[in-house]
């Protein structure tokens, strides 16, 4: 199993502008890289709540929560819960928390997930599962058994941005009629044969199966829908000046984050000449966030040390004060 290297570790924690006695949420615990550094910045009055949909990540976090393993801060400041990021508001309410000072969402996958027999990697033989939460939902193999060719093409095209989606979908449907597609290498070989047949020269070092695997994984885990729900809830959970930090790893995620932050930072325009009291203007003003700086990407040194960081993009926004809007 490869050691997980946290992407944009220091940049993300700095962007949270940690208050020692603040309350923070790591919505995607993974292997605890960001959480560990956040905890090191908190005092006894601070609190960190971690969430992950992957039970293996939760079990790793519970060893810290129970004191079996230690971080740089006392485990009393830390708790972890199993759940999706779309459940962030519900999880916090169950813990008696209604407002927090910062929320971090790192949308990347951990190295153990990619290396384990979970079906995420197309480089080694494994069961075609692809579920981040193996306790619920259909596996990728089960979905591929029954999905229509039309729906399969749509998923590969929309979520994988794959130009050969139609040909790949046709090839998968033909292949499954001969035998069930139940392993990662089976699927990778089908996709690779289609792409290589249509491209004389491969694009860069990316595997021909990359986009199709990404598309199916995103669909199986409903990742974009989860992200959209989590973003909307996060804004309402933040205290004034609280920070929202999101690290994404492909263009579909980043597009959602970018558009959401921009839309939440816009002011409603009121036509000139309409007499309104200050309180009424504040009610009309729907600005909730202020975008902080430009998108941040890993430095060359980080990419050289960890190739999984090469596509990372981090965006930061802060909650606008209800009474000052800025």
């Amino acid at each position: 199993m490869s050691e997980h290297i946290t992407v944009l570790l220091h940049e993300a924690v700095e962007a949270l502008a940690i208050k020692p006695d603040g309350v923070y949420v790591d919505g995607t615990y993974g292997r605890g890289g960001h959480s560990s550094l956040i905890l090191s910045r908190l005092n006894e009055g601070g609190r960190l709540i971690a969430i992950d949909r992957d039970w293996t990540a939760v079990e790793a976090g519970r060893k810290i929560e129970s004191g079996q393993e230690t971080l740089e801060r006392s485990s009393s400041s830390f708790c972890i819960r199993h759940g999706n990021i779309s459940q962030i508001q519900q999880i916090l309410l169950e813990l008696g928390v209604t407002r927090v000072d910062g929320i971090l969402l790192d949308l990347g996958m951990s190295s153990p997930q990619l290396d384990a027999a979970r079906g995420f990697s197309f480089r080694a033989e494994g069961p075609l599962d692809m579920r981040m939460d193996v306790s619920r939902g259909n596996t990728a193999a089960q979905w591929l058994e029954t999905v229509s060719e039309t729906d399969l093409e749509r998923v590969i095209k929309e979520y994988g941005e794959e130009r050969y989606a139609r040909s790949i979908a046709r090839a998968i449907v033909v292949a499954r009629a001969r035998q069930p597609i139940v392993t990662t290498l089976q699927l990778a070989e089908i996709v690779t044969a289609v792409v290589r047949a249509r491209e004389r020269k491969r694009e860069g070092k990316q595997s021909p199966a990359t986009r199709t695997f990404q598309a199916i994984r995103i669909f199986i885990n409903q990742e974009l829908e989860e992200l959209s729900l989590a973003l909307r809830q996060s804004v309402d959970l933040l205290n004034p000046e609280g920070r929202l930090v999101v690290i994404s790893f492909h263009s579909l995620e980043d597009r959602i984050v970018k558009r959401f932050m921009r839309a939440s930072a816009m002011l409603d325009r009121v036509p000139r000449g309409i007499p309104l009291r200050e309180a009424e203007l504040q009610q009309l003003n729907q600005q909730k966030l202020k975008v902080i700086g430009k998108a941040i990407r890993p430095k060359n040194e980080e990419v050289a040390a960890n190739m999984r960081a090469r596509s990372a993009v981090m965006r930061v926004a802060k909650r606008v004060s209800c009474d000052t809007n800025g």
Side-chain angles (χ1 to χ4, degrees), residues 219-233:
F219 175 80
I220 291 295
N221 295 286
Q222 296 293 288
E223 293 176 31
L224 302 186
E225 292 82 0
E226 287 285 317
L227 173 60
S228 295
L229 289 169
L231 290 172
R232 292 199 291 271
Q233 293 176 43

Side-chain angles (χ1 to χ4, degrees), residues 89-137:
Q89 195 165 41
Q90 174 188 335
I91 291 170
L92 292 182
L93 285 174
E94 289 173 356
L95 293 169
V97 177
T98 57
R99 290 288 186 272
V100 299
D101 299 295
I103 297 173
L104 171 64
L105 302 176
D106 176 355
L107 306 176
M109 300 184 67
S110 67
S111 296
Q113 286 177 321
L114 292 169
D115 294 338
R118 299 279 291 277
F120 294 118
S121 175
F122 44 77
R123 301 187 186 280
E125 183 76 345
L128 194 58
D129 192 315
M130 291 197 187
R131 292 173 299 166
M132 291 183 181
D133 181 354
V134 297
S135 66
R136 65 184 71 180

Side-chain angles (χ1 to χ4, degrees), residues 206-224:
Q206 188 181 64
S207 166
T210 299
R211 292 183 290 271
T212 297
F213 268 69
Q214 170 187 294
I216 295 174
R217 188 203 79 215
I218 289 173
F219 175 80
I220 291 295
N221 295 286
Q222 296 293 288
E223 293 176 31
L224 302 186

